[in-house]
């Protein structure tokens, strides 16, 4: 889950956890065992949603399903109540970029580009992941956008290992997206994740002087989540104060994984192929 920078300065409205830790946390092996389970729950829910999405469903249907499954697996939804967000998933259709609120009025149709982002809070730790689903047969430009968005995430993940830097992740993503004729959204970033849904550091997906060029260390856990647009990189926020859309109504796609930094590489904690 991305989040607007102005929301980060507000106190969280969820009851867990009450204190926001500062600095970059290095997870112990016992903590990582719990994070793996939290992330497995997220991966399971997203895999199941992918398999059951069909035209005629609403985004509210998906939200109800996700909350039910998260709770059945012994966790609670990370997003629900977070800074007042009203649902267990963020669901975005077509030109919606991020933070879309599920609704019974939002009917999923054939040809849609659907983004589903969710998190699970399990025994004190969060997992966080996002997928983009091509609903039925989508247009070639939409299929290409989804393909590049997913590949860009893995280009970034390939740079994850102890001793590398955050800018290595950002540069790999930006270069790949630009080479394919798309744009990286700069209004939202990835983040550390663990005891808190959003922790240090901010994980940029493009090069910027605003980035604290953190050296990666074994035991860091990062939510890497590039958002890719077919047109302009710029976004605007709708009147619900959550949903971001592209300024030119172009399509948008996103993929996200919770990733552990290891000595010689990485471990994708929200890997859907392992559930």
């Amino acid at each position: 889950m991305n989040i607007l920078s102005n929301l980060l300065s507000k106190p969280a409205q969820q009851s867990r956890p009450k204190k926001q830790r500062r600095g970059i946390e290095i997870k112990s092996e016992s903590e990582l065992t719990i994070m793996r389970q939290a992330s497995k729950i997220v991966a399971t829910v997203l895999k199941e949603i992918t398999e059951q999405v069909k035209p005629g469903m609403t985004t509210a249907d998906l939200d109800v399903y996700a909350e039910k499954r998260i709770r059945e697996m012994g966790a609670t939804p990370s997003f629900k109540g977070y800074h007042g967000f009203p649902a267990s998933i963020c669901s975005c259709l077509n030109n919606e970029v991020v933070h879309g609120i599920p609704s019974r009025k939002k009917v999923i149709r054939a040809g849609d580009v659907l983004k589903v982002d969710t998190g699970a809070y399990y025994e004190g730790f969060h997992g966080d992941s996002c997928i983009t689903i091509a609903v039925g047969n989508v247009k070639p430009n939409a299929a290409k956008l989804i393909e590049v968005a997913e590949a860009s995430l893995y280009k970034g993940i390939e740079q994850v290992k102890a001793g590398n830097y955050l800018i290595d992740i950002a540069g790999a993503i930006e270069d790949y997206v630009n080479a394919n004729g798309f744009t990286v959204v700069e209004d939202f970033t990835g983040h550390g994740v663990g005891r808190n849904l959003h922790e240090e550091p901010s994980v940029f997906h493009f090069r910027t002087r605003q980035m604290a060029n953190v050296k990666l260390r074994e035991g860091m856990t990062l939510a890497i989540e590039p958002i890719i647009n077919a047109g302009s990189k710029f976004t605007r926020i709708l009147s619900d104060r959550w949903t971001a859309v592209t300024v030119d109504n172009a399509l948008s796609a996103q993929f996200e994984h919770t990733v552990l930094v290891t000595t010689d590489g990485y471990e994708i904690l929200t890997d859907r192929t392992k559930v």
Side-chain angles (χ1 to χ4, degrees):
M1 185 189 196
N2 285 276
I3 194 163
L4 294 170
S5 59
N6 66 331
L7 287 178
L8 284 171
S9 63
K10 298 179 182 179
Q13 296 182 17
Q14 64 177 25
S15 60
R16 53 180 200 285
K18 292 184 178 180
K19 293 182 179 180
Q20 176 76 35
R21 295 191 170 200
R22 296 183 180 276
I24 300 172
E25 290 194 358
I26 303 299
K27 294 358 181 250
S28 68
E29 194 53 47
S30 61
E31 291 171 335
L32 288 171
T33 297
I34 300 172
M35 279 199 70
R36 288 186 180 97
Q37 183 58 29
S39 297
K40 182 179 180 180
I41 291 168
V42 172
T44 299
V45 171
L46 290 179
K47 183 177 181 179
E48 291 175 359
I49 285 176
T50 301
E51 293 168 348
Q52 70 173 253
V53 165
K54 60 183 179 181
M57 299 180 71
T58 70
T59 55
D61 293 332
L62 301 182
D63 182 59
V64 169
Y65 179 83
E67 179 169 0
K68 175 176 176 290
R69 289 294 287 128
I70 288 169
R71 295 189 186 279
E72 284 177 349
M73 288 183 277
T76 54
S78 297
F79 296 0
K80 195 165 188 176
Y82 188 70
H83 292 284
F85 190 77
S88 298
I89 66 170
C90 296
S91 57
C92 296
L93 288 168
N94 301 320
N95 70 321
E96 294 175 339
V97 174
V98 72
H99 298 159
I101 299 173
S103 170
R104 294 186 183 90
K105 296 180 180 180
K106 289 186 177 180
V107 179
I108 300 166
R109 306 185 189 283
D112 278 346
V113 174
L114 169 67
K115 294 172 285 295
V116 180
D117 188 355
T118 195
Y121 182 73
Y122 178 80
E123 294 187 2
F125 289 87
H126 296 271
D128 188 7
S129 187
C130 178
I131 57 174
T132 298
I133 302 167
V135 182
N137 295 320
V138 300
K139 294 181 178 179
N141 66 317
K144 178 67 173 178
L145 175 69
I146 295 170
E147 176 187 335
V148 170
E150 185 169 23
S152 75
L153 169 61
Y154 288 102
K155 291 292 184 182
I157 291 174
E158 287 170 3
Q159 299 301 313
V160 175
K161 69 175 181 178
N164 276 7
Y165 291 82
L166 286 179
I167 198 168
D168 296 320
I169 299 172
I173 292 170
E174 182 179 37
D175 289 347
Y176 182 78
V177 172
N178 289 348
N180 280 277
F182 297 113
T183 59
V184 178
V185 172
E186 298 181 4
D187 294 333
F188 308 94
T189 71
H191 50 89
V193 59
R195 293 183 185 276
N196 301 285
L197 182 58
H198 292 88
E199 298 182 345
E200 294 295 335
S202 294
V203 180
F204 287 80
H205 308 113
F206 58 97
R207 297 178 182 88
T208 172
R209 292 183 179 179
Q210 295 178 351
M211 177 192 305
N213 196 19
V214 173
K215 188 175 184 178
L216 302 181
R217 294 173 55 197
E218 182 180 5
M220 290 181 179
T221 46
L222 308 173
I224 304 172
E225 48 181 325
I227 308 172
I228 310 305
N229 288 351
S232 170
K233 68 182 179 181
F234 295 106
T235 69
R236 63 184 179 89
I237 308 299
L238 299 184
S239 59
D240 63 15
R241 301 180 65 186
W242 279 102
T243 307
V245 299
T246 56
V247 294
D248 54 3
N249 288 325
L251 295 176
S252 185
Q254 179 189 16
F255 286 87
E256 173 188 15
H257 274 309
T258 296
V259 180
L260 167 66
V261 181
T262 66
T263 300
D264 56 358
Y266 57 86
E267 179 184 346
I268 300 175
L269 302 184
T270 48
D271 188 347
R272 295 181 301 281
T273 68
K274 296 182 178 179
V275 299

